[in-house]
Amino acid sequence: MAYDHIQPAAFIPTPGGDPFLMPHYALAFPQAWRDPLKDHWQHGKPERRDRGKVSVPIKRLNQVIAAVAPDLVSVAKRAPLDDGRPWLYANAPYPKAVMSTFIHAWLRDLQPGPEGHAKVKETASQLGIDGLEWDLLSVDMLEQTVSDGGTAVPADHLWRLLPEVLAARIARQEPAYEHFGERLTFRQVAMDAGAPGAELVSWPPLEHPTGRGAKTKVWNYSAYIRICLRTAPFDPTPRIHLSTGVRRWVCGPVWLPQRGSASVYLLADQSLVPDGPAPERFAVGGLRWVPQTGGYAWVQGGPEGMLNRISAVPRFPSPDLMAKEPETWLTSRDGVTAAVVHHTMMGRHGVQAGIAPQERRRLTEWATAALSPEFMRVSTSRRSEIRRQTPNNVLESTASVPKKATDEHKARIDRENAERQARNAARRRPLLARAVGPAGLTAVLLHQTDTMRDHLVAAAEENLGLAQHRTAGGPDLWQWDHPDLTVRLHVRQAGELVGPLSEGSFLRRGDEWDAAMDARRRAVRDAMRAWTTDLGTHPQLAFVELEGKDGFRRRTSDPKSALRVGLADTGLVSQFLGLPDPESTKPEVVSDPHRAKAAWSDGLRQLGMRFLPEHSLGAAIPEDLNQLAFWLVKRNVSRDNKYPQFTPIAVLIRPGQDCVLGRTAETSGWVPYPELLRSLTGKIRSTDLRTRKQQEDATALFVKQTLYKLRGEPTLVLTHAQNTRQRWPWLTNPGLAVDRLSLGTGPLQRLAAHGRRLRVVRVASNDREETPQWWAPDGDVGAGVAKGLWVPADAPRDNRVFQSTSDKASQHGHPRDISKFTEHRNAAGRSLRMPGTPAWNPEILDLCMAALQPGDDPEQWAMYVHQQRFPDDYANALQLPLALHLARLAAKYAEPMEDTEQADPGTASIGATPEHGEEDESLGEA
C-alpha cells in the first residue's frame, strides 16, 4: 500500500505555551575547588601549556553514581569547575555524608598510585567536602539560544535533565499502557552523563515460553521507551524524540568475551550505599569477566575500586552468582531485583528484536499524553511532489513464482527470469571489465567446504552470465572466457589459515594476542605469495570461507583481522563468506546460495565496479556531476586495541571513470578503490594526530586539498553527521549556516570560495536517536511502512531538510500488526502476539541541503541523494547514499595491526594511553 504521509515520533514545545519551569535541587562544585581539583588531577602528569583549560574527568564517578544512587541525574561528562554550573540534579538533597564518601572515593580514583593516599588527604582538606550544599533552583526546561545559522541550542544541562523530567511523567502516567486487557507499567532507568537521553523499561518482565515438556524454556523481556532532546538544522525549535523497542534479558548463564561487559539493571529494596535513600529507579551496573581471577566482577571499580571505597560491595549481588543464575534475581533475591541485558554476541534469544509499526504507534501515542501540555507532536511529513521517486532501473527485477502457479506458469516465469538475468549479466560484464582491466578478473578462494565453493561458482556464472563460457571446471581452477571478459577463480583448501588463533589455551589481549595475530598474518602472506608465484599471475580478489564470529570460543581466537591484513599485504582485497548453514538441508531454507551471491557481488564492489543509480530528475542534475564522500576512519585506543588510527578518506564516483576512486592524505592523487582499501590496513596513527585539535586541523587540510583538486567540476559532497562532525565542527547543527562553509576552526565563507560548482549535503542517521522513529498512519490506529522522500508538513518555503525512508528489507516479511508486549488479534480473531518473530522498521535519514548554488531547487537535490540509496545491484536499499556507503565500508580495512617488520620503532607505543583531549563529547551537538 502506498502512503502519502509519515508520522515522526517527535515533539516540539507547544506554541504560545506557558513557561516550563521545574523545581530541582542542584549541586555544583564550589568555585574554590577549581585549583585544588586541577592540581590533584595533574599531580604527577607532564606540565601542559594550556593548564588553564584543564578539566577533570568525572566519568567513572558518574558510572558509580548510576549504579548506587540512581535517583541522582548527572549532567556533566567532565567536572565543570570554571563557571559554577551544576553537576548533579535531584528531587531532594542527597545525604551529605554519602556525597562526601563519593568525593573521597573519586579523589582516590584520580590518584591511584603509591603516593595517592597522601595527595587525597591533602586535597580533601583543601576542599572542605563536608561543606557541599544543594541549592533549590527553578529550572527553565526550555532555556536555549539560537546559532548564527538559525538552529536551536538548548542549555547544556537540558540534554540530560529535560528527558529525565519527561520520563518521570511517563512512569507516573495513569492509566498505564493497556491493550487487549493487558497492562504494562514502566520504571525509569539511571543513565550516566554520556547517555543520549532517558530510558524507561516495563516491569515486571514479560515471558515468552518456547519448546514443550521438559524442553520448555522461558525467555524474559521488556518494552523500553527512550526520550532524547534533539535539534534540527536551521530550525530554532528544539524537539523531543521518543523511541520504543524491546529490551531482552539474559536467560541462562551469562557468557562474555574477554574484556567485554554486560549491563545489569538493579532495583534494590534499600540503598546500595550505606545511609543513602531507597532508590526509585533502576540502577545500572556492569558485569565483567576477569581472566586473572577466573571469575566475574562489577565494572564500577571492581572489588578494589570505588564500589569498595564507598562500602557498596557488600550490598551488591555476588557477581559470580549473578552470572551463573541471572534469572533468579528477576523476581527479587536478597532484597535486590536484577536483570542482565542480553547482547547479540551472547547468542540466540527466544525473543527477537524490533517491534512492528502498529505497536510502536500504540506505545508512542500512549506516552504522548505525559508530554502535554508543554509539548505537542510534530505534524506529519508529506510525500515529495516530485513524481518519480525511484531511480531509473538499469537492471531488471526477476519475478517471484506464486504458490498456486501451474507447472506451465512456473516454467514461463523461470524462462522470463532467465532472460532478465542474461540481460543483467550483459550490463555487468563491461563495467567489471573496465574496473579490472584487459587481463580480466583473477580471484582466489580459500575454501573449507565443497558446498560453499559450488555456490560461489554458481553465483559467478549467474551474476556475469558465464555458464556457457566455462573453459575450466576445477578442482583447482574455474575459468570462463567470454568475449567481454575473462574470469579465473583459483581454489585451494584453506587449512590452518582459517583456524582459531589459539587452540585450547586462553588467548589474552596484549602481547600474547599481538604475537598470534602477527604469526597468522605472516602465514597468510607467505602462503599467498608462494601460491601466486606458482600460478604465475597476481589475483586481485580473495574469497575466504570462514566460521562466523560466534563459531570461535573466544573473540580473541577469531583470525578474520589477521587474514584481511595478510591478504592486503599481498595486494588482495578480501571478501568473507560463512560456512554452510545447517538449516540449509531443509528445502525451504536457501540461505547458502543467497549468501554466496551476496559475497560475490560484494567482492566485485571492492574492486571498484561502478553501478550508479540512474536518477530520474533530468536536466536538474548536471550530467557530469562528481559524487564525493568524506569519511573519517577512526580506531581509538581501548582495552582491545593499542594501535589507534585516524585517517580522513575520500571516495569519488566520477562520470565516465572506469572504477570508483579514493584517496587519503598519503596517496598520490586519486587511486582505484581497491588500492584505497589496501592502504588502510596496518596503519598506526602518527604522533602529530593525537589530540582533537590536531585531528581537526588534519581533517580541514584534507578536505581543502581534496576540494581544490576538483575545483571547476560540478561536485556534490556527501558527509555523514555522526561520523565526521567531531573533527569538522561545521557539520554540527549549530555550526551549519545556509550556503556557507567552514573548514576546521576557520570562518564561515561563501560556498563559491571553495568551488563555483560545488554543493554540500549532510546526511544524519538514527545513531544516538538523532532522527526520530516513525510510521505511516493508516486510519485511526493502523500503521505501515513507506518508501520515499518526505517534506515536513510545516516546513518553510525555503526548506533545506528532508527525510528519506526505505521499504523493509527483503528478509523481514513480518506483518505490520504483530504484537510483542500484549495480546493483539486481527479481524478474524487470530492472535498476532509473536515475540519470537523479528520486526524491523527502516530508519529515517535526514538529508540537509547545507550548501547549494544559486537557483538550485533543494527538493530536487534531496531527491537525487535519496535515489542514490537504491542501486540495482543491491537486494535492499542502502542505509546511506552509495558514495557514503562505499566510504563507510572502507573503514573495515582499518585493522589495528602493526607490521613489526616495517614499522618505525618509535611508533610502537603510540597511543597506548588515551590523550586527555581526545574524548568525543557529542553532548549538545545533535
Side-chain angles (χ1 to χ4, degrees):
M1 177 179 178
Y3 298 95
D4 293 327
H5 295 83
I6 63 170
Q7 177 62 67
F11 303 81
I12 58 174
T14 304
D18 295 332
F20 188 7
L21 304 175
M22 292 290 293
H24 278 91
Y25 285 91
L27 183 66
F29 288 114
Q31 291 282 356
W33 283 24
R34 171 182 169 173
D35 290 335
L37 278 179
K38 286 186 176 180
D39 290 340
H40 184 84
W41 165 234
Q42 286 293 292
H43 179 70
K45 296 179 176 65
E47 187 70 22
R48 288 175 175 266
R49 293 182 181 178
D50 58 347
R51 188 175 179 85
K53 298 181 180 179
V54 170
S55 57
V56 181
I58 202 169
K59 179 179 179 179
R60 282 169 56 82
L61 176 55
N62 285 334
Q63 290 176 337
V64 168
I65 288 175
V68 300
D71 296 333
L72 296 179
V73 177
S74 175
V75 298
K77 291 203 298 183
R78 306 194 78 82
L81 304 176
D82 296 330
D83 54 9
R85 288 178 297 165
W87 153 49
L88 293 174
Y89 287 87
N91 293 327
Y94 211 73
K96 283 188 177 182
V98 182
M99 293 304 305
S100 176
T101 303
F102 288 162
I103 300 298
H104 276 93
W106 177 50
L107 293 177
R108 185 71 181 95
D109 191 65
L110 293 176
Q111 287 293 335
E115 300 178 0
H117 286 290
K119 186 59 181 173
V120 169
K121 186 175 181 180
E122 174 189 338
T123 303
S125 65
Q126 292 176 311
L127 299 181
I129 296 174
D130 293 338
L132 275 178
E133 294 289 344
W134 291 83
D135 295 320
L136 180 60
L137 306 177
S138 178
V139 181
D140 180 0
M141 306 306 295
L142 298 178
E143 180 187 353
Q144 69 168 52
T145 56
V146 177
S147 73
D148 292 341
T151 301
V153 184
D156 285 346
H157 58 282
L158 294 182
W159 297 99
R160 285 285 298 118
L161 189 59
L162 178 55
E164 292 288 354
V165 168
L166 299 178
R169 285 188 177 184
I170 294 173
R172 295 192 302 266
Q173 184 174 223
E174 291 292 343
Y177 175 80
E178 183 173 351
H179 186 66
F180 265 79
E182 296 182 7
R183 305 182 72 187
L184 298 181
T185 57
F186 287 84
R187 274 190 176 273
Q188 281 182 267
V189 178
M191 311 294 282
D192 69 26
E199 181 178 306
L200 306 101
V201 294
S202 65
W203 204 261
L206 302 166
E207 296 183 349
H208 174 53
T210 60
R212 295 181 179 179
K215 295 185 178 181
T216 299
K217 184 167 185 177
V218 177
W219 305 89
N220 299 107
Y221 66 108
S222 296
Y224 73 72
I225 299 175
R226 294 198 192 111
I227 305 96
C228 297
L229 173 62
R230 291 290 175 246
T231 63
F234 316 132
D235 189 340
T237 305
R239 55 198 59 215
I240 294 294
H241 290 174
L242 195 151
S243 305
T244 54
V246 179
R247 173 72 71 221
R248 298 177 292 177
W249 310 115
V250 171
C251 299
V254 175
W255 179 88
L256 292 174
Q258 185 182 10
R259 297 191 182 275
S261 61
S263 295
V264 183
Y265 286 27
L266 301 153
L267 185 63
D269 297 341
Q270 298 179 349
S271 175
L272 290 169
V273 62
D275 301 321
E280 295 184 3
R281 308 181 189 189
F282 274 103
V284 179
L287 199 62
R288 175 182 296 161
W289 168 257
V290 182
Q292 294 82 354
T293 63
Y296 288 85
W298 293 104
V299 172
Q300 283 79 6
E304 299 301 321
M306 277 194 276
L307 288 182
N308 192 51
R309 295 190 187 103
I310 61 177
S311 303
V313 170
R315 302 192 182 196
F316 263 64
S318 161
D320 288 316
L321 280 177
M322 175 66 69
K324 183 179 180 181
E325 305 170 353
E327 294 117 313
T328 62
W329 269 273
L330 289 172
T331 55
S332 187
R333 175 174 174 176
D334 302 327
V336 176
T337 300
V340 182
V341 177
H342 174 84
H343 190 279
T344 52
M345 73 172 61
M346 298 176 180
R348 177 185 174 274
H349 196 285
V351 175
Q352 295 295 304
I355 62 176
Q358 284 196 14
E359 189 163 37
R360 170 161 289 125
R361 177 178 182 175
R362 290 195 297 270
L363 261 176
T364 303
E365 290 184 341
W366 169 78
T368 298
L371 308 187
S372 178
E374 289 83 6
F375 287 88
M376 58 177 285
R377 193 167 62 190
V378 299
S379 302
T380 58
S381 297
R382 62 169 176 82
R383 186 179 292 277
S384 169
E385 294 179 356
I386 298 175
R387 289 189 175 183
R388 184 169 180 84
Q389 300 215 350
T390 55
N392 298 317
N393 290 335
V394 176
L395 300 179
E396 300 179 51
S397 300
T398 55
S400 58
V401 179
K403 292 182 179 180
K404 297 182 179 181
T406 63
D407 291 343
E408 182 181 355
H409 189 192
K410 291 179 181 179
R412 180 171 59 81
I413 292 176
D414 289 342
R415 184 173 60 254
E416 292 174 350
N417 282 342
E419 293 171 354
R420 294 187 184 101
Q421 290 172 350
R423 289 191 290 271
N424 288 340
R427 293 182 174 96
R428 291 190 184 99
R429 284 193 302 269
L431 290 177
L432 180 59
R434 290 200 292 270
V436 299
L441 168 62
T442 301
V444 296
L445 167 62
L446 293 171
H447 83 107
Q448 299 191 58
T449 67
D450 291 348
T451 299
M452 296 308 294
R453 178 203 63 195
D454 294 344
H455 285 317
L456 190 69
V457 169
E461 292 187 336
E462 179 183 312
N463 186 270
L464 297 173
L466 300 175
Q468 304 303 317
H469 301 273
R470 184 192 290 184
T471 55
D476 299 325
L477 170 65
W478 270 261
Q479 180 165 326
W480 301 268
D481 291 292
H482 190 280
D484 297 338
L485 176 71
T486 296
V487 177
R488 306 172 194 87
L489 179 65
H490 297 277
V491 181
R492 68 177 290 182
Q493 282 285 338
E496 295 180 354
L497 293 180
V498 296
L501 293 178
S502 175
E503 285 286 0
S505 62
F506 182 84
L507 191 61
R508 297 182 178 180
R509 292 283 187 184
D511 293 341
E512 184 180 359
W513 183 75
D514 289 343
M517 290 283 285
D518 188 61
R520 182 60 55 85
R521 173 184 183 175
R522 293 176 188 279
V524 172
R525 179 195 303 168
D526 294 345
M528 295 307 298
R529 285 175 177 170
W531 188 15
T532 55
T533 299
D534 292 342
L535 295 175
T537 185
H538 197 286
Q540 302 109 309
L541 168 65
F543 294 97
V544 183
E545 187 179 357
L546 183 67
E547 182 80 70
K549 62 182 180 180
D550 294 336
F552 294 96
R553 290 194 314 113
R554 300 284 182 186
R555 187 171 60 174
T556 53
S557 296
D558 188 346
K560 186 174 182 179
S561 294
L563 284 161
R564 192 185 294 280
V565 180
L567 291 166
D569 288 343
T570 53
L572 292 165
V573 292
S574 48
Q575 178 62 43
F576 296 87
L577 66 159
L579 296 178
D581 184 348
E583 295 294 313
S584 282
T585 56
K586 301 178 181 179
E588 68 273 15
V589 178
V590 290
S591 62
D592 288 348
H594 286 175
R595 289 189 292 120
K597 291 177 184 178
W600 179 262
S601 296
D602 288 341
L604 298 189
R605 293 181 193 114
Q606 291 190 58
L607 295 173
M609 190 178 92
R610 189 174 62 87
F611 229 112
L612 192 66
E614 294 192 358
H615 67 85
S616 61
L617 301 165
I621 307 299
E623 289 186 8
D624 54 348
L625 179 70
N626 296 318
Q627 289 192 55
L628 173 65
F630 287 107
W631 198 266
L632 299 184
V633 178
K634 299 174 286 188
R635 286 190 182 274
N636 294 325
V637 174
S638 67
R639 291 187 300 269
D640 292 345
N641 173 39
K642 67 179 181 181
Y643 302 124
Q645 180 174 165
F646 180 83
T647 309
I649 69 171
V651 168
L652 176 65
I653 300 177
R654 174 177 262 161
Q657 186 73 39
D658 292 340
C659 179
V660 175
L661 301 175
R663 72 177 299 261
T664 69
E666 298 176 1
T667 58
S668 178
W670 294 103
V671 299
Y673 185 67
E675 186 176 334
L676 170 70
L677 300 182
R678 295 192 299 269
S679 74
L680 294 173
T681 60
K683 274 186 174 292
I684 301 176
R685 188 185 65 204
S686 64
T687 54
D688 59 355
L689 290 176
R690 298 182 70 179
T691 68
R692 183 185 189 120
K693 178 64 166 58
Q694 290 170 333
Q695 293 175 8
E696 285 183 356
D697 291 344
T699 301
L701 180 61
F702 178 73
V703 172
K704 183 177 181 178
Q705 291 175 341
T706 302
L707 294 180
Y708 185 81
K709 291 177 180 293
L710 298 172
R711 197 177 185 87
E713 300 181 31
T715 301
L716 175 66
V717 173
L718 295 161
T719 61
H720 185 257
Q722 287 95 329
N723 168 262
T724 313
R725 68 185 175 203
Q726 295 294 340
R727 299 301 180 260
W728 189 355
W730 175 72
L731 291 173
T732 63
N733 284 359
L736 291 171
V738 174
D739 298 338
R740 297 290 188 270
L741 183 64
S742 172
L743 298 179
T745 57
L748 281 170
Q749 296 176 301
R750 292 183 303 107
L751 186 61
H754 300 276
R756 295 188 179 278
R757 305 183 72 186
L758 181 68
R759 297 161 176 92
V760 185
V761 172
R762 194 203 72 169
V763 178
S765 56
N766 186 242
D767 300 348
R768 294 179 66 86
E769 320 289 340
E770 293 192 22
T771 61
Q773 292 182 342
W774 62 281
W775 61 86
D778 186 359
D780 293 335
V781 296
V785 172
K787 177 178 75 173
L789 181 73
W790 309 91
V791 184
D794 53 356
R797 294 185 62 182
D798 57 352
N799 176 56
R800 290 295 187 99
V801 181
F802 302 85
Q803 298 160 339
S804 171
T805 63
S806 66
D807 285 329
K808 291 186 296 185
S810 57
Q811 65 269 33
H812 292 279
H814 61 83
R816 63 178 183 170
D817 54 349
I818 65 170
S819 176
K820 291 194 173 180
F821 305 132
T822 65
E823 179 60 79
H824 183 67
R825 296 182 181 274
N826 61 15
R830 175 173 169 260
S831 175
L832 295 175
R833 184 167 188 173
M834 301 178 182
T837 300
W840 183 81
N841 293 159
E843 67 177 275
I844 281 180
L845 286 189
D846 271 357
L847 308 180
C848 176
M849 307 298 106
L852 300 176
Q853 292 296 322
D856 282 347
D857 180 349
E859 191 168 340
Q860 294 273 8
W861 281 94
M863 181 61 75
Y864 177 79
V865 176
H866 167 73
Q867 291 185 358
Q868 298 306 302
R869 299 181 60 195
F870 302 93
D872 287 351
D873 57 337
Y874 283 84
N876 300 300
L878 301 178
Q879 185 188 33
L880 298 173
L882 179 60
L884 272 177
H885 172 77
L886 294 174
R888 181 172 63 175
L889 290 182
K892 290 186 177 181
Y893 276 78
E895 299 291 351
M897 291 182 62
E898 177 189 25
D899 188 338
T900 53
E901 284 187 344
Q902 303 175 18
D904 181 343
T907 66
S909 62
I910 289 173
T913 302
E915 280 292 302
H916 168 69
E918 282 189 273
E919 180 177 313
D920 281 350
E921 296 182 17
S922 59
L923 200 62
E925 292 193 358

